[in-house]
Each structure stands twice: as structure tokens, then as C-alpha cells.
Coordinates of all heavy atoms in Angstrom, one line a residue:
E415 N 1.0 15.9 -2.6 CA -0.1 16.2 -1.7 C 0.2 15.9 -0.2 O -0.4 16.5 0.7 CB -1.4 15.5 -2.1 CG -1.9 16.0 -3.5 CD -3.2 15.3 -3.9 OE1 -3.8 14.6 -3.0 OE2 -3.6 15.5 -5.0
N416 N 1.0 14.8 0.0 CA 1.2 14.4 1.4 C 2.7 14.4 1.9 O 2.9 14.1 3.0 CB 0.7 12.9 1.5 CG -0.7 12.7 1.0 OD1 -1.0 12.2 0.0 ND2 -1.7 13.2 1.8
G417 N 3.5 14.9 1.0 CA 4.9 15.0 1.4 C 5.6 13.6 1.6 O 6.6 13.5 2.4
L418 N 5.2 12.6 0.9 CA 5.7 11.2 1.0 C 6.4 10.8 -0.2 O 5.9 11.0 -1.3 CB 4.5 10.3 1.4 CG 3.8 10.6 2.7 CD1 2.5 9.7 2.7 CD2 4.6 10.4 3.9
D419 N 7.5 10.2 -0.1 CA 8.3 9.8 -1.2 C 8.4 8.2 -1.3 O 9.1 7.7 -0.4 CB 9.7 10.4 -1.2 CG 10.4 10.4 -2.5 OD1 9.9 9.8 -3.5 OD2 11.6 10.9 -2.6
Y420 N 7.8 7.6 -2.2 CA 7.8 6.2 -2.4 C 8.2 5.8 -3.8 O 7.9 6.4 -4.8 CB 6.4 5.5 -2.1 CG 6.0 5.8 -0.7 CD1 4.8 6.5 -0.4 CD2 6.6 5.2 0.4 CE1 4.4 6.7 0.9 CE2 6.2 5.4 1.7 CZ 5.1 6.1 1.9 OH 4.6 6.3 3.2
A421 N 9.0 4.7 -3.9 CA 9.4 4.1 -5.2 C 8.2 3.4 -5.8 O 7.7 2.4 -5.2 CB 10.6 3.2 -5.0
P422 N 7.7 3.8 -6.9 CA 6.5 3.1 -7.5 C 6.8 1.6 -7.8 O 5.8 0.8 -7.9 CB 6.2 3.9 -8.7 CG 7.4 4.7 -9.1 CD 8.1 4.9 -7.8
E423 N 8.0 1.3 -8.0 CA 8.3 -0.1 -8.4 C 8.2 -1.1 -7.3 O 7.8 -2.3 -7.5 CB 9.7 -0.2 -9.0 CG 9.9 0.6 -10.3 CD 10.2 2.1 -10.1 OE1 10.3 2.5 -8.9 OE2 10.2 2.8 -11.1
T424 N 8.5 -0.7 -6.0 CA 8.6 -1.6 -4.9 C 7.9 -1.2 -3.7 O 7.8 -2.0 -2.7 CB 10.1 -1.9 -4.6 OG1 10.7 -0.6 -4.2 CG2 10.8 -2.5 -5.7
E425 N 7.4 0.0 -3.6 CA 6.9 0.5 -2.3 C 5.4 0.9 -2.4 O 4.8 1.5 -1.5 CB 7.7 1.7 -1.8 CG 9.1 1.4 -1.5 CD 9.9 2.5 -0.9 OE1 9.8 3.6 -1.4 OE2 10.6 2.3 0.1
I426 N 4.8 0.5 -3.5 CA 3.3 0.8 -3.7 C 2.7 -0.5 -4.4 O 3.3 -1.0 -5.4 CB 3.1 2.0 -4.6 CG1 3.6 3.3 -4.0 CG2 1.6 2.1 -5.0 CD1 3.5 4.5 -4.9
V427 N 1.6 -1.0 -3.9 CA 0.9 -2.1 -4.5 C -0.5 -1.7 -4.6 O -1.2 -1.1 -3.7 CB 1.1 -3.4 -3.7 CG1 0.6 -3.2 -2.2 CG2 0.4 -4.6 -4.3
I428 N -1.1 -1.9 -5.8 CA -2.5 -1.6 -6.1 C -3.4 -2.8 -5.7 O -3.1 -3.9 -6.0 CB -2.7 -1.3 -7.6 CG1 -1.7 -0.2 -8.1 CG2 -4.1 -0.9 -7.8 CD1 -1.8 1.1 -7.3
T429 N -4.4 -2.5 -4.9 CA -5.3 -3.5 -4.4 C -6.7 -3.4 -4.8 O -7.1 -2.4 -5.4 CB -5.2 -3.5 -2.8 OG1 -5.7 -2.2 -2.4 CG2 -3.7 -3.7 -2.3
A430 N -7.5 -4.4 -4.5 CA -8.9 -4.4 -4.8 C -9.6 -3.6 -3.7 O -10.3 -4.1 -2.8 CB -9.5 -5.8 -4.8
G431 N -9.5 -2.3 -3.7 CA -10.0 -1.4 -2.8 C -9.2 -1.3 -1.5 O -8.2 -2.1 -1.3
V432 N -9.5 -0.4 -0.6 CA -8.8 -0.3 0.7 C -9.1 -1.5 1.5 O -8.3 -2.0 2.3 CB -9.1 1.0 1.4 CG1 -8.5 1.0 2.8 CG2 -8.5 2.2 0.6
S433 N -10.3 -2.1 1.3 CA -10.7 -3.3 2.1 C -9.6 -4.4 1.9 O -9.2 -5.1 2.9 CB -12.0 -3.8 1.7 OG -13.0 -2.9 2.0
E434 N -9.2 -4.7 0.7 CA -8.2 -5.7 0.5 C -6.9 -5.3 1.1 O -6.2 -6.1 1.7 CB -8.0 -6.1 -1.0 CG -7.2 -7.4 -1.2 CD -6.4 -7.4 -2.5 OE1 -6.3 -6.5 -3.2 OE2 -5.7 -8.5 -2.7
A435 N -6.5 -4.0 0.9 CA -5.3 -3.5 1.4 C -5.2 -3.7 2.9 O -4.2 -4.1 3.5 CB -5.1 -2.1 1.0
L436 N -6.3 -3.4 3.6 CA -6.4 -3.6 5.0 C -6.3 -5.1 5.4 O -5.5 -5.4 6.3 CB -7.8 -3.1 5.5 CG -8.2 -3.3 7.0 CD1 -7.2 -2.6 7.9 CD2 -9.6 -3.0 7.2
H437 N -7.0 -5.9 4.8 CA -7.0 -7.4 5.1 C -5.6 -7.9 4.9 O -5.1 -8.6 5.7 CB -8.0 -8.1 4.1 CG -8.1 -9.5 4.4 ND1 -9.1 -10.0 5.3 CD2 -7.5 -10.6 4.0 CE1 -9.0 -11.4 5.4 NE2 -8.0 -11.7 4.6
L438 N -4.9 -7.5 3.8 CA -3.6 -8.0 3.5 C -2.6 -7.5 4.5 O -1.6 -8.2 4.9 CB -3.2 -7.6 2.1 CG -4.0 -8.3 0.9 CD1 -3.5 -7.8 -0.4 CD2 -3.9 -9.8 1.0
S439 N -2.8 -6.2 4.9 CA -1.8 -5.6 5.9 C -1.9 -6.4 7.2 O -0.8 -6.7 7.8 CB -2.2 -4.1 6.1 OG -2.0 -3.4 5.0
M440 N -3.1 -6.7 7.6 CA -3.2 -7.5 8.9 C -2.6 -8.9 8.7 O -1.8 -9.4 9.6 CB -4.6 -7.6 9.3 CG -5.3 -6.3 9.6 SD -4.5 -5.3 10.9 CE -3.7 -4.0 9.8
A441 N -2.9 -9.5 7.6 CA -2.3 -10.9 7.3 C -0.8 -10.9 7.2 O -0.2 -11.8 7.6 CB -2.9 -11.4 6.0
A442 N -0.2 -9.8 6.6 CA 1.2 -9.8 6.4 C 2.0 -9.3 7.6 O 3.2 -9.7 7.8 CB 1.5 -8.9 5.2
L443 N 1.4 -8.5 8.5 CA 2.1 -7.9 9.6 C 1.9 -8.5 10.9 O 2.7 -8.3 11.9 CB 1.8 -6.4 9.6 CG 2.0 -5.6 8.3 CD1 1.5 -4.2 8.5 CD2 3.5 -5.7 8.0

């Protein structure tokens, strides 16, 4: 759908909603 190629083993992490993904992104970056 988006033309993006990611390895499911190392390039995708499932989170508790986008809210957690957002919080973790700011904390990590």
C-alpha cells in the first residue's frame, strides 16, 4: 500500500497504540 520495504524481524515493532510508539520515538531519538 505504501511502497515501503521493511524487515519484519528487525525494522517493525508492535506498540500499545500509536501513542506509545510516539512516546517511545521521542524518548529514543
Side-chain angles (χ1 to χ4, degrees):
E415 297 182 8
N416 306 107
L418 300 170
D419 197 356
Y420 297 115
E423 296 81 9
T424 58
E425 295 184 316
I426 296 170
V427 58
I428 307 300
T429 60
V432 172
S433 293
E434 192 210 5
L436 171 68
H437 187 92
L438 296 178
S439 296
M440 299 303 106
L443 302 176

